[in-house]
Amino acid sequence: MLEPTDPTPSALPFSTPESDVPRIDLESVADAAQRIRTEVGRALVGQEERVTLLLTALLAGGHVLLEGVPGIAKTLTARLLARTVDADYRRIQFTPDLMPSDVVGTAVFNPKDAEFSFRAGPIFSNFVLIDEINRAPAKTQSALFEVMEERQATVDGTTYPMAEPFMVLATQNPLEHEGTYRLPEAQLDRFLFKLVLDYPTADEEVEILTRALTKAPSAVVETIGAVLSKSELSQARKVVSQVRVEPPVVRSIAGITLATRGNASLMLGASPRASLSLLSSGRAYALLAGRDYVLPDDIQAVAPHVLRHRIQLAPELEMEGRAPDEVIADILRQVDIPR
């Protein structure tokens, strides 16, 4: 089970921060993260790794793509995370006939004033769940490009900023292909993480059934309340930006990304946005581990989730049934890690 690393001082690859360096407020972030974990745990059984990575993305200010077969709580996970923060939440069901204006909004003529006014679409929210994102065609997907990257939407020449915080949580089913569309690479690159979700363990399955005997899962979800305000989240994100990253770790990040380019196993390598994503998520991951400095192990922990949707396998490897995670694991073994 993946957990934030917390090695002893003797295992550190470089010196720890000196005592005269101002320390950041780790306690408040740890308290906020624990409150969210506790509240989510009331409705979601197990899934500690999933929750840790979602909290990492939340603190890093990134978007998350959740991929998995039906029935493993992809949508529930997104709903729970949104409910724990005192912020607006919207859900958009993507379908083949969905238009870009159905997402970002459109100008509506008001006969009384003889003027057009902008009617905001559901994307204008703090937390947006896009269910089955791969069911909409590229034309609709393009409506998300500006929104997800620049946190704004331009309609009829007028730019409307998104409110903060702003986070997109999208789901997709990797097995069902009828009526689905491949997500554009530019769209995938805008997700900080792609989390591939698996079935619960046997013990977790028993716990799910045991809880269902006493109370319906839907009833439990309705009792989940906000434990974090928008201002607290904003403050926690500021703390993330203060987490130290030593030059050896920066070089490690660059080495991982560069190793995906020109790799014989890959047709498409990772862009500089992937390097920035490794940096921001590594900082948030370290903070959740109770540290104000990033270790190479933090970068190694988040790398598969940052890279798996940003690379493309060479055709011969796809025909052999290889997975992106296998190539990423090879790269992480080959890249020099500072010690």
Side-chain angles (χ1 to χ4, degrees), residues 7-333:
T8 60
S10 61
L12 297 178
F14 43 80
S15 60
T16 57
E18 300 295 334
S19 58
D20 59 345
V21 176
R23 309 291 288 188
I24 63 177
D25 186 7
L26 301 175
E27 191 172 322
S28 64
V29 177
D31 176 66
Q34 187 54 48
R35 278 184 282 156
I36 291 177
R37 282 193 175 100
T38 300
E39 196 69 9
V40 168
R42 292 175 51 218
L44 189 67
V45 176
Q47 308 300 329
E48 289 85 2
E49 175 185 355
R50 184 189 308 189
V51 175
T52 294
L53 291 169
L54 283 171
L55 285 173
T56 300
L58 180 66
L59 291 177
H63 311 295
V64 179
L65 177 61
L66 301 165
E67 181 179 275
V69 298
I72 58 173
K74 299 187 299 296
T75 302
L76 174 64
T77 300
R79 287 180 61 199
L80 290 174
L81 181 67
R83 290 181 72 95
T84 59
V85 181
D86 186 14
D88 294 333
Y89 164 78
R90 296 281 186 89
R91 178 183 180 274
I92 310 174
Q93 179 66 53
F94 268 29
T95 57
D97 60 347
L98 197 72
M99 299 296 291
S101 59
D102 297 326
V103 177
V104 299
T106 186
V108 178
F109 183 73
N110 187 341
K112 182 178 179 180
D113 301 328
E115 292 180 351
F116 283 93
S117 59
F118 177 64
R119 180 176 294 173
I123 199 66
F124 283 88
S125 187
N126 298 123
F127 289 90
V128 180
L129 168 61
I130 300 179
D131 228 351
E132 297 183 285
I133 189 172
N134 56 337
R135 287 199 174 276
K139 181 178 182 180
T140 304
Q141 298 291 345
S142 65
L144 299 173
F145 290 179
E146 180 185 13
V147 170
M148 292 179 65
E149 178 63 19
E150 301 176 44
R151 312 297 172 108
Q152 64 182 32
T154 302
V155 180
D156 292 336
T158 302
T159 299
Y160 303 92
M162 311 302 294
E164 288 294 337
F166 174 65
M167 184 178 189
V168 172
L169 297 148
T171 70
Q172 68 175 15
N173 177 357
L175 301 179
E176 189 175 1
H177 300 294
E178 185 176 349
T180 63
Y181 301 84
R182 183 185 178 95
L183 295 183
E185 283 71 23
Q187 166 76 331
L188 287 169
D189 202 35
R190 282 160 167 77
F191 285 102
L192 177 72
F193 285 161
K194 177 183 177 181
L195 305 184
V196 178
L197 310 183
D198 204 353
Y199 292 109
T201 65
D203 289 341
E204 290 171 349
E205 192 100 16
V206 171
E207 177 63 19
I208 291 170
L209 295 170
T210 302
R211 290 190 184 187
L213 288 172
T214 58
K215 197 168 187 179
S218 58
V220 177
V221 173
E222 294 304 315
T223 67
I224 302 301
V227 295
L228 195 68
S229 67
K230 286 192 284 188
S231 61
E232 287 176 313
L233 176 57
S234 177
Q235 184 58 40
R237 288 179 171 180
K238 290 178 182 178
V239 175
V240 172
S241 66
Q242 299 172 38
V243 174
R244 295 182 58 187
V245 187
E246 299 290 338
V249 178
V250 174
R251 289 192 292 271
S252 174
I253 293 172
I256 291 171
T257 308
L258 289 171
T260 67
R261 304 169 193 167
N263 190 304
S265 299
L266 299 177
M267 186 171 64
L268 176 68
S271 69
R273 187 184 280 140
S275 296
L276 294 171
S277 296
L278 285 170
L279 178 64
S280 62
S281 59
R283 282 174 136 180
Y285 194 84
L287 194 60
L288 288 172
R291 283 181 275 102
D292 59 358
Y293 54 92
V294 177
L295 295 176
D297 288 344
D298 299 322
I299 305 303
Q300 294 260 328
V302 299
H305 314 289
V306 169
L307 296 175
R308 64 167 57 102
H309 56 296
R310 290 183 161 98
I311 60 174
Q312 282 189 16
L313 295 178
E316 56 271 23
L317 265 70
E318 285 192 336
M319 293 178 64
E320 294 172 6
R322 293 283 300 277
D325 282 18
E326 297 177 48
V327 178
I328 294 170
D330 291 339
I331 290 173
L332 294 178
R333 282 192 292 267

